[in-house]
Amino acid sequence: MKNLNITTKRWIWNTWEHYTPEWFVTILWNDLPTSPITSSSHTKHLRNKILCEVSGARRCGDLPEFPDRLGITAFQERTEMQKGQVTFHTHLHLYNCTSLWESSEQLHCLIRYKIGNRIEKLLKSTRKGNEGVVVRRWEEEHHRYYNLKEMERQKKKVLTRYTQDNDLLLDFENSDLLPMESQSHGYKRLSSATDQSLRSAVKSKRPEITHI
């Protein structure tokens, strides 16, 4: 599992090195999902709406493959409530989006209002400290390791009494990740063994989730 975790991190970073994220988005859900399965399902709906909007596609099936469109890496992150209940919210790293938005306000307006008003489970609150949508420019020093640092913090809190594992979750099916790069021959597919290991890890918990 350790080698799988290392491979997954490299897989994420390989994509980010070729397409540096430009925006970091935090999403809260109004049903306070207690499972990453539920949070991932909400994310899939929002993600599809975003991609169709910026790509001009009418249906998800008409969307071009990444990197011929906006790219997203999604994480489902835990929060422990005051009474000990664990809920999940979502972080999105957006890349390959040059010229789409000039400011965080433009992207916020798109997600919160133009698209968000059609997303039933999106928290509509704009109250400071409890905003349903928060958009920030991606800063490498802070956001490259943001979810990975949080993983280490959560490990120390022993959350296994609420969930099956104590790692943060990369939302595999809702993320756009490039094949690993060969140092001498450019892009190539993941080896069959590595690809199978990653996908097996995903399916062992849920089709849309893998661990980092």
Side-chain angles (χ1 to χ4, degrees):
M1 182 60 70
K2 181 178 179 181
N3 290 337
L4 178 59
N5 290 343
I6 292 173
T7 299
T8 306
K9 292 175 186 178
R10 289 175 177 170
W11 193 16
I12 295 168
W13 287 334
N14 173 65
T15 300
W16 291 1
E17 285 168 3
H18 288 86
Y19 294 93
T20 303
E22 298 176 48
W23 304 101
F24 179 80
V25 182
T26 300
I27 302 291
L28 301 185
W29 308 107
N30 58 25
D31 59 344
L32 300 175
T34 57
S35 164
I37 296 174
T38 303
S39 184
S40 178
S41 177
H42 297 345
T43 301
K44 181 178 181 179
H45 185 41
L46 175 63
R47 174 182 180 271
N48 286 340
K49 292 290 186 184
I50 293 173
L51 293 179
C52 284
E53 179 68 28
V54 301
S55 301
R58 293 187 176 183
R59 301 178 304 169
C60 299
D62 296 332
L63 288 169
E65 294 293 327
F66 178 78
D68 295 325
R69 58 160 172 77
L70 170 71
I72 298 174
T73 303
F75 294 89
Q76 308 301 338
E77 183 180 315
R78 295 184 182 90
T79 297
E80 187 171 7
M81 310 295 282
Q82 290 182 348
K83 295 183 179 180
Q85 183 183 38
V86 173
T87 62
F88 287 82
H89 62 278
T90 303
H91 287 152
L92 305 176
H93 302 251
L94 275 59
Y95 39 91
N96 199 29
C97 47
T98 303
S99 301
L100 285 176
W101 306 287
E102 295 180 357
S103 68
S104 59
E105 289 79 13
Q106 289 180 340
L107 179 53
H108 179 273
C109 183
L110 174 72
I111 297 176
R112 168 59 186 84
Y113 297 103
K114 188 172 184 179
I115 292 174
N117 287 338
R118 293 175 281 155
I119 305 295
E120 180 183 357
K121 298 301 183 180
L122 178 69
L123 181 66
K124 306 304 193 294
S125 171
T126 56
R127 180 168 58 85
K128 189 171 180 60
N130 192 45
E131 300 100 323
V133 178
V134 176
V135 178
R136 296 186 174 90
R137 284 200 178 273
W138 198 85
E139 298 178 2
E140 182 171 9
E141 183 177 351
H142 179 59
H143 293 125
R144 178 179 172 89
Y145 300 97
Y146 183 91
N147 293 104
L148 306 183
K149 287 181 177 179
E150 181 66 9
M151 177 181 69
E152 296 302 322
R153 186 181 75 82
Q154 294 286 13
K155 280 184 177 181
K156 298 177 182 178
K157 297 181 69 174
V158 192
L159 296 180
T160 50
R161 52 185 168 154
Y162 303 110
T163 53
Q164 292 182 336
D165 60 88
N166 59 357
D167 289 338
L168 270 184
L169 300 176
L170 166 68
D171 194 336
F172 179 86
E173 291 296 334
N174 285 322
S175 295
D176 301 297
L177 299 173
L178 294 170
M180 295 295 284
E181 184 182 43
S182 167
Q183 293 182 351
S184 57
H185 299 96
Y187 289 119
K188 66 175 183 179
R189 289 289 178 185
L190 293 172
S191 68
S192 58
T194 300
D195 183 66
Q196 185 61 41
S197 295
L198 285 167
R199 295 181 184 276
S200 296
V202 172
K203 292 179 181 179
S204 67
K205 300 294 182 182
R206 180 186 190 263
E208 280 118 350
I209 300 294
T210 192
H211 311 302
I212 64 173

